[in-house]
Amino acid sequence: MKNGLYIVATPIGNIGDISPRARETLAEADVIACEDTRISKKLFALLGLSLQKRFITLHDHNEDSQLDLLINLIKKENCSVALISDAGSPLISDPGYKLIRRCRAENIYITTLPGCCALICALQLSGLPTNRFMFAGFIPNKDKARHDLFKALKQMDSTLIFYETANRIVKTLNVVAEVFGSREVAVCREITKMFEECLNGTAAELIEHFSTNEPKGEMVLMIAPPAEIKSVSEMDLDSVLREKLKNSSLKSAVKEVVEIFGLNKNDVYQRALEIKNEQ
């Protein structure tokens, strides 16, 4: 096996999803660079592969310090190194990109062995638009950071995809409801496993579901893109506001128009207030 770096995708749940090429590479590689040696050795045991090889940890807290070691193993000791994550495709919200950059700078042979990726599997199952999507990784744990992230992405004309934990999903959905309103949301969990499911609805509906069904497993949260946004020049804002104000309060009318057309809230509020005073 040629010395170099092999980026190897591993199963995210169903062990049968390992590709023959990935299995062969893991069997022949001299070194396994992995997030957690315990999880990786368990995978090797399930695959019936020998554990008599070198396992080296590579995670967020030690990637910088491990680079020289791995580069030297490849260049000076002519080793083949397989890079894997705990599950799925390496480098997707996982460490490794610094190693890739270093290998490229050192003209080291690199190849990738494609396979399972939770965000792609979830998007396929969701029924949400797939022509354009954005993966934003793990949702911040802090309330303000979570809220700020959603507000920054609110008007993106793409399906938004995030990773989230079961114990935080309800708290996150509450913020989704606040920022995205009634936009369609999907939560996919236990992908490729026995209890795989994908739930669609508004954030409020999914909160209600999880209030009676304890959330479990690793989750992928997806948010549909906004409805088609028309520019100010394409619409008669005054007529839209007058129509909304017939059956809604000032606050509700402004909120709805802002959400539908992606306009500045203060500008819309000021114009709505003027129209209401005229009436």
mmCIF file of all heavy atoms in Angstrom, residues 100-143:
data_model
loop_
_atom_site.group_PDB
_atom_site.id
_atom_site.type_symbol
_atom_site.label_atom_id
_atom_site.label_comp_id
_atom_site.label_asym_id
_atom_site.label_seq_id
_atom_site.Cartn_x
_atom_site.Cartn_y
_atom_site.Cartn_z
ATOM 1 N N ILE A 100 -4.694 17.884 6.303
ATOM 2 C CA ILE A 100 -4.789 17.864 4.847
ATOM 3 C C ILE A 100 -3.936 18.983 4.247
ATOM 4 O O ILE A 100 -3.178 18.771 3.295
ATOM 5 C CB ILE A 100 -6.254 18.031 4.381
ATOM 6 C CG1 ILE A 100 -7.159 16.965 5.018
ATOM 7 C CG2 ILE A 100 -6.340 17.982 2.858
ATOM 8 C CD1 ILE A 100 -6.746 15.549 4.756
ATOM 9 N N ARG A 101 -4.055 20.169 4.801
ATOM 10 C CA ARG A 101 -3.282 21.308 4.294
ATOM 11 C C ARG A 101 -1.786 21.050 4.416
ATOM 12 O O ARG A 101 -1.007 21.367 3.508
ATOM 13 C CB ARG A 101 -3.663 22.586 5.056
ATOM 14 C CG ARG A 101 -5.059 23.091 4.762
ATOM 15 C CD ARG A 101 -5.377 24.355 5.544
ATOM 16 N NE ARG A 101 -4.561 25.472 5.107
ATOM 17 C CZ ARG A 101 -4.862 26.273 4.084
ATOM 18 N NH1 ARG A 101 -5.965 26.058 3.388
ATOM 19 N NH2 ARG A 101 -4.076 27.268 3.765
ATOM 20 N N ARG A 102 -1.392 20.467 5.533
ATOM 21 C CA ARG A 102 0.031 20.183 5.746
ATOM 22 C C ARG A 102 0.526 19.123 4.757
ATOM 23 O O ARG A 102 1.621 19.252 4.200
ATOM 24 C CB ARG A 102 0.220 19.713 7.185
ATOM 25 C CG ARG A 102 1.653 19.422 7.571
ATOM 26 C CD ARG A 102 2.512 20.675 7.722
ATOM 27 N NE ARG A 102 3.859 20.273 8.090
ATOM 28 C CZ ARG A 102 4.226 20.001 9.345
ATOM 29 N NH1 ARG A 102 3.352 20.140 10.345
ATOM 30 N NH2 ARG A 102 5.463 19.627 9.608
ATOM 31 N N CYS A 103 -0.270 18.101 4.533
ATOM 32 C CA CYS A 103 0.108 17.054 3.576
ATOM 33 C C CYS A 103 0.239 17.626 2.172
ATOM 34 O O CYS A 103 1.169 17.288 1.428
ATOM 35 C CB CYS A 103 -0.918 15.928 3.585
ATOM 36 S SG CYS A 103 -0.822 14.839 5.030
ATOM 37 N N ARG A 104 -0.679 18.506 1.794
ATOM 38 C CA ARG A 104 -0.617 19.120 0.466
ATOM 39 C C ARG A 104 0.637 19.989 0.338
ATOM 40 O O ARG A 104 1.301 19.993 -0.706
ATOM 41 C CB ARG A 104 -1.875 19.940 0.207
ATOM 42 C CG ARG A 104 -3.134 19.082 0.031
ATOM 43 C CD ARG A 104 -4.386 19.949 -0.108
ATOM 44 N NE ARG A 104 -4.317 20.790 -1.288
ATOM 45 C CZ ARG A 104 -4.702 20.405 -2.504
ATOM 46 N NH1 ARG A 104 -5.189 19.190 -2.692
ATOM 47 N NH2 ARG A 104 -4.625 21.241 -3.529
ATOM 48 N N ALA A 105 0.961 20.720 1.391
ATOM 49 C CA ALA A 105 2.166 21.558 1.379
ATOM 50 C C ALA A 105 3.433 20.721 1.276
ATOM 51 O O ALA A 105 4.440 21.161 0.705
ATOM 52 C CB ALA A 105 2.200 22.429 2.635
ATOM 53 N N GLU A 106 3.385 19.508 1.815
ATOM 54 C CA GLU A 106 4.557 18.618 1.811
ATOM 55 C C GLU A 106 4.552 17.674 0.609
ATOM 56 O O GLU A 106 5.380 16.778 0.518
ATOM 57 C CB GLU A 106 4.560 17.787 3.107
ATOM 58 C CG GLU A 106 4.616 18.593 4.386
ATOM 59 C CD GLU A 106 6.038 18.875 4.836
ATOM 60 O OE1 GLU A 106 6.957 18.333 4.210
ATOM 61 O OE2 GLU A 106 6.219 19.626 5.813
ATOM 62 N N ASN A 107 3.602 17.884 -0.311
ATOM 63 C CA ASN A 107 3.481 17.040 -1.509
ATOM 64 C C ASN A 107 3.307 15.557 -1.165
ATOM 65 O O ASN A 107 3.854 14.671 -1.833
ATOM 66 C CB ASN A 107 4.695 17.223 -2.427
ATOM 67 C CG ASN A 107 4.731 18.606 -3.052
ATOM 68 O OD1 ASN A 107 3.712 19.122 -3.493
ATOM 69 N ND2 ASN A 107 5.913 19.212 -3.066
ATOM 70 N N ILE A 108 2.541 15.306 -0.127
ATOM 71 C CA ILE A 108 2.244 13.932 0.297
ATOM 72 C C ILE A 108 1.015 13.430 -0.447
ATOM 73 O O ILE A 108 0.049 14.178 -0.653
ATOM 74 C CB ILE A 108 2.013 13.883 1.825
ATOM 75 C CG1 ILE A 108 3.344 14.095 2.560
ATOM 76 C CG2 ILE A 108 1.363 12.578 2.258
ATOM 77 C CD1 ILE A 108 3.201 14.243 4.060
ATOM 78 N N TYR A 109 1.052 12.186 -0.833
ATOM 79 C CA TYR A 109 -0.079 11.573 -1.528
ATOM 80 C C TYR A 109 -1.304 11.551 -0.613
ATOM 81 O O TYR A 109 -1.234 11.114 0.546
ATOM 82 C CB TYR A 109 0.280 10.147 -1.953
ATOM 83 C CG TYR A 109 -0.889 9.360 -2.507
ATOM 84 C CD1 TYR A 109 -1.365 9.599 -3.794
ATOM 85 C CD2 TYR A 109 -1.520 8.378 -1.734
ATOM 86 C CE1 TYR A 109 -2.441 8.884 -4.308
ATOM 87 C CE2 TYR A 109 -2.593 7.649 -2.240
ATOM 88 C CZ TYR A 109 -3.047 7.913 -3.522
ATOM 89 O OH TYR A 109 -4.110 7.202 -4.018
ATOM 90 N N ILE A 110 -2.445 12.030 -1.134
ATOM 91 C CA ILE A 110 -3.715 12.026 -0.390
ATOM 92 C C ILE A 110 -4.809 11.489 -1.306
ATOM 93 O O ILE A 110 -4.871 11.841 -2.484
ATOM 94 C CB ILE A 110 -4.141 13.440 0.068
ATOM 95 C CG1 ILE A 110 -3.017 14.163 0.796
ATOM 96 C CG2 ILE A 110 -5.374 13.369 0.965
ATOM 97 C CD1 ILE A 110 -3.337 15.616 1.098
ATOM 98 N N THR A 111 -5.672 10.663 -0.743
ATOM 99 C CA THR A 111 -6.852 10.240 -1.478
ATOM 100 C C THR A 111 -8.011 10.100 -0.507
ATOM 101 O O THR A 111 -7.815 10.030 0.711
ATOM 102 C CB THR A 111 -6.615 8.908 -2.226
ATOM 103 O OG1 THR A 111 -7.718 8.674 -3.117
ATOM 104 C CG2 THR A 111 -6.490 7.741 -1.261
ATOM 105 N N THR A 112 -9.225 10.101 -1.042
ATOM 106 C CA THR A 112 -10.402 9.971 -0.187
ATOM 107 C C THR A 112 -11.218 8.756 -0.603
ATOM 108 O O THR A 112 -11.336 8.462 -1.801
ATOM 109 C CB THR A 112 -11.279 11.245 -0.239
ATOM 110 O OG1 THR A 112 -12.400 11.103 0.629
ATOM 111 C CG2 THR A 112 -11.774 11.528 -1.640
ATOM 112 N N LEU A 113 -11.760 8.066 0.363
ATOM 113 C CA LEU A 113 -12.625 6.916 0.135
ATOM 114 C C LEU A 113 -14.015 7.307 0.599
ATOM 115 O O LEU A 113 -14.318 7.296 1.793
ATOM 116 C CB LEU A 113 -12.127 5.688 0.902
ATOM 117 C CG LEU A 113 -10.875 4.999 0.344
ATOM 118 C CD1 LEU A 113 -9.621 5.834 0.566
ATOM 119 C CD2 LEU A 113 -10.691 3.628 0.975
ATOM 120 N N PRO A 114 -14.900 7.712 -0.303
ATOM 121 C CA PRO A 114 -16.207 8.263 0.076
ATOM 122 C C PRO A 114 -17.126 7.230 0.700
ATOM 123 O O PRO A 114 -16.961 6.018 0.522
ATOM 124 C CB PRO A 114 -16.767 8.774 -1.254
ATOM 125 C CG PRO A 114 -16.096 7.937 -2.285
ATOM 126 C CD PRO A 114 -14.719 7.661 -1.758
ATOM 127 N N GLY A 115 -18.102 7.747 1.416
ATOM 128 C CA GLY A 115 -19.070 6.862 2.064
ATOM 129 C C GLY A 115 -20.093 7.654 2.847
ATOM 130 O O GLY A 115 -20.480 8.760 2.450
ATOM 131 N N CYS A 116 -20.523 7.113 3.976
ATOM 132 C CA CYS A 116 -21.619 7.696 4.761
ATOM 133 C C CYS A 116 -21.309 9.112 5.235
ATOM 134 O O CYS A 116 -20.199 9.420 5.650
ATOM 135 C CB CYS A 116 -21.904 6.821 5.973
ATOM 136 S SG CYS A 116 -22.471 5.168 5.553
ATOM 137 N N CYS A 117 -22.347 9.948 5.191
ATOM 138 C CA CYS A 117 -22.265 11.311 5.715
ATOM 139 C C CYS A 117 -23.648 11.666 6.240
ATOM 140 O O CYS A 117 -24.611 11.719 5.463
ATOM 141 C CB CYS A 117 -21.821 12.278 4.631
ATOM 142 S SG CYS A 117 -21.671 13.986 5.194
ATOM 143 N N ALA A 118 -23.767 11.905 7.535
ATOM 144 C CA ALA A 118 -25.073 12.092 8.165
ATOM 145 C C ALA A 118 -25.865 13.241 7.562
ATOM 146 O O ALA A 118 -27.078 13.135 7.370
ATOM 147 C CB ALA A 118 -24.897 12.311 9.671
ATOM 148 N N LEU A 119 -25.197 14.345 7.240
ATOM 149 C CA LEU A 119 -25.953 15.497 6.743
ATOM 150 C C LEU A 119 -26.569 15.211 5.377
ATOM 151 O O LEU A 119 -27.693 15.635 5.090
ATOM 152 C CB LEU A 119 -25.074 16.748 6.711
ATOM 153 C CG LEU A 119 -24.027 16.903 5.609
ATOM 154 C CD1 LEU A 119 -24.585 17.693 4.438
ATOM 155 C CD2 LEU A 119 -22.782 17.579 6.151
ATOM 156 N N ILE A 120 -25.856 14.468 4.521
ATOM 157 C CA ILE A 120 -26.395 14.129 3.203
ATOM 158 C C ILE A 120 -27.545 13.127 3.337
ATOM 159 O O ILE A 120 -28.592 13.264 2.691
ATOM 160 C CB ILE A 120 -25.294 13.554 2.292
ATOM 161 C CG1 ILE A 120 -24.205 14.599 2.059
ATOM 162 C CG2 ILE A 120 -25.883 13.087 0.969
ATOM 163 C CD1 ILE A 120 -24.675 15.861 1.380
ATOM 164 N N CYS A 121 -27.367 12.133 4.184
ATOM 165 C CA CYS A 121 -28.438 11.147 4.403
ATOM 166 C C CYS A 121 -29.694 11.815 4.942
ATOM 167 O O CYS A 121 -30.814 11.517 4.504
ATOM 168 C CB CYS A 121 -27.964 10.070 5.386
ATOM 169 S SG CYS A 121 -26.628 9.027 4.766
ATOM 170 N N ALA A 122 -29.528 12.727 5.893
ATOM 171 C CA ALA A 122 -30.677 13.424 6.479
ATOM 172 C C ALA A 122 -31.383 14.281 5.435
ATOM 173 O O ALA A 122 -32.615 14.313 5.365
ATOM 174 C CB ALA A 122 -30.211 14.286 7.650
ATOM 175 N N LEU A 123 -30.618 14.988 4.623
ATOM 176 C CA LEU A 123 -31.209 15.827 3.586
ATOM 177 C C LEU A 123 -32.012 14.979 2.604
ATOM 178 O O LEU A 123 -33.110 15.360 2.192
ATOM 179 C CB LEU A 123 -30.103 16.587 2.849
ATOM 180 C CG LEU A 123 -30.542 17.564 1.756
ATOM 181 C CD1 LEU A 123 -31.428 18.666 2.329
ATOM 182 C CD2 LEU A 123 -29.328 18.165 1.064
ATOM 183 N N GLN A 124 -31.497 13.817 2.260
ATOM 184 C CA GLN A 124 -32.214 12.917 1.358
ATOM 185 C C GLN A 124 -33.549 12.472 1.956
ATOM 186 O O GLN A 124 -34.550 12.349 1.252
ATOM 187 C CB GLN A 124 -31.348 11.696 1.053
ATOM 188 C CG GLN A 124 -30.118 12.006 0.199
ATOM 189 C CD GLN A 124 -29.159 10.836 0.123
ATOM 190 O OE1 GLN A 124 -29.027 10.063 1.075
ATOM 191 N NE2 GLN A 124 -28.486 10.687 -1.013
ATOM 192 N N LEU A 125 -33.562 12.231 3.257
ATOM 193 C CA LEU A 125 -34.766 11.741 3.918
ATOM 194 C C LEU A 125 -35.792 12.843 4.192
ATOM 195 O O LEU A 125 -36.977 12.564 4.352
ATOM 196 C CB LEU A 125 -34.394 11.071 5.250
ATOM 197 C CG LEU A 125 -33.627 9.748 5.173
ATOM 198 C CD1 LEU A 125 -33.097 9.368 6.555
ATOM 199 C CD2 LEU A 125 -34.512 8.648 4.622
ATOM 200 N N SER A 126 -35.347 14.086 4.253
ATOM 201 C CA SER A 126 -36.195 15.177 4.747
ATOM 202 C C SER A 126 -37.304 15.612 3.803
ATOM 203 O O SER A 126 -38.335 16.117 4.241
ATOM 204 C CB SER A 126 -35.325 16.397 5.071
ATOM 205 O OG SER A 126 -34.844 16.997 3.876
ATOM 206 N N GLY A 127 -37.084 15.484 2.522
ATOM 207 C CA GLY A 127 -38.050 16.011 1.566
ATOM 208 C C GLY A 127 -37.951 17.516 1.391
ATOM 209 O O GLY A 127 -38.768 18.120 0.695
ATOM 210 N N LEU A 128 -36.955 18.150 1.997
ATOM 211 C CA LEU A 128 -36.735 19.586 1.829
ATOM 212 C C LEU A 128 -35.919 19.817 0.550
ATOM 213 O O LEU A 128 -35.274 18.901 0.043
ATOM 214 C CB LEU A 128 -36.009 20.159 3.046
ATOM 215 C CG LEU A 128 -36.759 20.059 4.378
ATOM 216 C CD1 LEU A 128 -35.939 20.677 5.501
ATOM 217 C CD2 LEU A 128 -38.125 20.723 4.301
ATOM 218 N N PRO A 129 -35.931 21.050 0.025
ATOM 219 C CA PRO A 129 -35.196 21.321 -1.216
ATOM 220 C C PRO A 129 -33.725 20.929 -1.122
ATOM 221 O O PRO A 129 -33.049 21.233 -0.132
ATOM 222 C CB PRO A 129 -35.348 22.839 -1.374
ATOM 223 C CG PRO A 129 -36.640 23.157 -0.691
ATOM 224 C CD PRO A 129 -36.692 22.232 0.492
ATOM 225 N N THR A 130 -33.245 20.258 -2.160
ATOM 226 C CA THR A 130 -31.861 19.765 -2.167
ATOM 227 C C THR A 130 -30.986 20.468 -3.199
ATOM 228 O O THR A 130 -29.791 20.191 -3.279
ATOM 229 C CB THR A 130 -31.833 18.253 -2.473
ATOM 230 O OG1 THR A 130 -32.452 18.032 -3.753
ATOM 231 C CG2 THR A 130 -32.585 17.462 -1.414
ATOM 232 N N ASN A 131 -31.588 21.357 -3.991
ATOM 233 C CA ASN A 131 -30.812 22.009 -5.047
ATOM 234 C C ASN A 131 -29.776 22.975 -4.495
ATOM 235 O O ASN A 131 -28.760 23.240 -5.127
ATOM 236 C CB ASN A 131 -31.736 22.753 -6.015
ATOM 237 C CG ASN A 131 -32.582 23.803 -5.315
ATOM 238 O OD1 ASN A 131 -33.181 23.520 -4.277
ATOM 239 N ND2 ASN A 131 -32.645 25.008 -5.861
ATOM 240 N N ARG A 132 -30.026 23.500 -3.281
ATOM 241 C CA ARG A 132 -29.062 24.395 -2.637
ATOM 242 C C ARG A 132 -29.209 24.230 -1.130
ATOM 243 O O ARG A 132 -30.303 24.353 -0.593
ATOM 244 C CB ARG A 132 -29.328 25.848 -3.033
ATOM 245 C CG ARG A 132 -28.292 26.828 -2.480
ATOM 246 C CD ARG A 132 -28.650 28.260 -2.802
ATOM 247 N NE ARG A 132 -28.624 28.508 -4.235
ATOM 248 C CZ ARG A 132 -29.577 29.173 -4.881
ATOM 249 N NH1 ARG A 132 -30.629 29.629 -4.234
ATOM 250 N NH2 ARG A 132 -29.488 29.374 -6.184
ATOM 251 N N PHE A 133 -28.108 23.924 -0.468
ATOM 252 C CA PHE A 133 -28.180 23.777 0.992
ATOM 253 C C PHE A 133 -26.899 24.267 1.626
ATOM 254 O O PHE A 133 -25.854 24.351 0.980
ATOM 255 C CB PHE A 133 -28.463 22.320 1.389
ATOM 256 C CG PHE A 133 -27.413 21.333 0.949
ATOM 257 C CD1 PHE A 133 -26.325 21.034 1.761
ATOM 258 C CD2 PHE A 133 -27.521 20.688 -0.273
ATOM 259 C CE1 PHE A 133 -25.367 20.121 1.359
ATOM 260 C CE2 PHE A 133 -26.567 19.771 -0.698
ATOM 261 C CZ PHE A 133 -25.485 19.480 0.127
ATOM 262 N N MET A 134 -26.987 24.598 2.914
ATOM 263 C CA MET A 134 -25.814 25.044 3.668
ATOM 264 C C MET A 134 -25.707 24.233 4.935
ATOM 265 O O MET A 134 -26.663 24.145 5.710
ATOM 266 C CB MET A 134 -25.921 26.526 4.030
ATOM 267 C CG MET A 134 -24.752 26.981 4.894
ATOM 268 S SD MET A 134 -24.849 28.699 5.406
ATOM 269 C CE MET A 134 -23.405 28.780 6.490
ATOM 270 N N PHE A 135 -24.545 23.662 5.153
ATOM 271 C CA PHE A 135 -24.284 22.933 6.389
ATOM 272 C C PHE A 135 -23.544 23.858 7.339
ATOM 273 O O PHE A 135 -22.478 24.379 7.009
ATOM 274 C CB PHE A 135 -23.448 21.689 6.099
ATOM 275 C CG PHE A 135 -23.024 20.954 7.336
ATOM 276 C CD1 PHE A 135 -23.961 20.467 8.236
ATOM 277 C CD2 PHE A 135 -21.675 20.739 7.601
ATOM 278 C CE1 PHE A 135 -23.576 19.789 9.383
ATOM 279 C CE2 PHE A 135 -21.284 20.055 8.742
ATOM 280 C CZ PHE A 135 -22.232 19.582 9.628
ATOM 281 N N ALA A 136 -24.112 24.074 8.517
ATOM 282 C CA ALA A 136 -23.531 25.017 9.483
ATOM 283 C C ALA A 136 -22.965 24.331 10.714
ATOM 284 O O ALA A 136 -22.700 24.978 11.721
ATOM 285 C CB ALA A 136 -24.573 26.050 9.893
ATOM 286 N N GLY A 137 -22.796 23.015 10.661
ATOM 287 C CA GLY A 137 -22.139 22.296 11.750
ATOM 288 C C GLY A 137 -22.982 22.183 13.008
ATOM 289 O O GLY A 137 -24.214 22.189 12.964
ATOM 290 N N PHE A 138 -22.293 22.082 14.133
ATOM 291 C CA PHE A 138 -22.977 21.952 15.423
ATOM 292 C C PHE A 138 -23.505 23.311 15.874
ATOM 293 O O PHE A 138 -22.835 24.335 15.728
ATOM 294 C CB PHE A 138 -22.034 21.393 16.483
ATOM 295 C CG PHE A 138 -21.786 19.924 16.345
ATOM 296 C CD1 PHE A 138 -20.670 19.455 15.662
ATOM 297 C CD2 PHE A 138 -22.676 19.001 16.894
ATOM 298 C CE1 PHE A 138 -20.446 18.090 15.522
ATOM 299 C CE2 PHE A 138 -22.451 17.639 16.757
ATOM 300 C CZ PHE A 138 -21.335 17.185 16.069
ATOM 301 N N ILE A 139 -24.703 23.309 16.422
ATOM 302 C CA ILE A 139 -25.327 24.539 16.913
ATOM 303 C C ILE A 139 -24.666 24.952 18.221
ATOM 304 O O ILE A 139 -24.430 24.107 19.091
ATOM 305 C CB ILE A 139 -26.840 24.318 17.125
ATOM 306 C CG1 ILE A 139 -27.499 24.022 15.769
ATOM 307 C CG2 ILE A 139 -27.490 25.533 17.773
ATOM 308 C CD1 ILE A 139 -28.932 23.572 15.871
ATOM 309 N N PRO A 140 -24.345 26.237 18.394
ATOM 310 C CA PRO A 140 -23.709 26.687 19.641
ATOM 311 C C PRO A 140 -24.548 26.339 20.870
ATOM 312 O O PRO A 140 -25.779 26.316 20.820
ATOM 313 C CB PRO A 140 -23.612 28.210 19.459
ATOM 314 C CG PRO A 140 -23.668 28.427 17.989
ATOM 315 C CD PRO A 140 -24.548 27.344 17.447
ATOM 316 N N ASN A 141 -23.854 26.117 21.969
ATOM 317 C CA ASN A 141 -24.536 25.763 23.218
ATOM 318 C C ASN A 141 -25.088 26.997 23.933
ATOM 319 O O ASN A 141 -26.092 26.922 24.630
ATOM 320 C CB ASN A 141 -23.548 25.022 24.134
ATOM 321 C CG ASN A 141 -24.220 24.449 25.371
ATOM 322 O OD1 ASN A 141 -25.393 24.101 25.341
ATOM 323 N ND2 ASN A 141 -23.486 24.372 26.465
ATOM 324 N N LYS A 142 -24.427 28.132 23.768
ATOM 325 C CA LYS A 142 -24.848 29.365 24.436
ATOM 326 C C LYS A 142 -26.096 29.946 23.765
ATOM 327 O O LYS A 142 -26.200 29.964 22.542
ATOM 328 C CB LYS A 142 -23.723 30.397 24.394
ATOM 329 C CG LYS A 142 -22.432 29.947 25.057
ATOM 330 C CD LYS A 142 -22.562 29.886 26.556
ATOM 331 C CE LYS A 142 -21.212 29.576 27.205
ATOM 332 N NZ LYS A 142 -21.308 29.512 28.679
ATOM 333 N N ASP A 143 -27.026 30.422 24.590
ATOM 334 C CA ASP A 143 -28.294 30.936 24.070
ATOM 335 C C ASP A 143 -28.111 32.074 23.070
ATOM 336 O O ASP A 143 -28.709 32.065 21.991
ATOM 337 C CB ASP A 143 -29.178 31.412 25.226
ATOM 338 C CG ASP A 143 -29.674 30.260 26.093
ATOM 339 O OD1 ASP A 143 -29.649 29.119 25.604
ATOM 340 O OD2 ASP A 143 -30.076 30.504 27.243
#
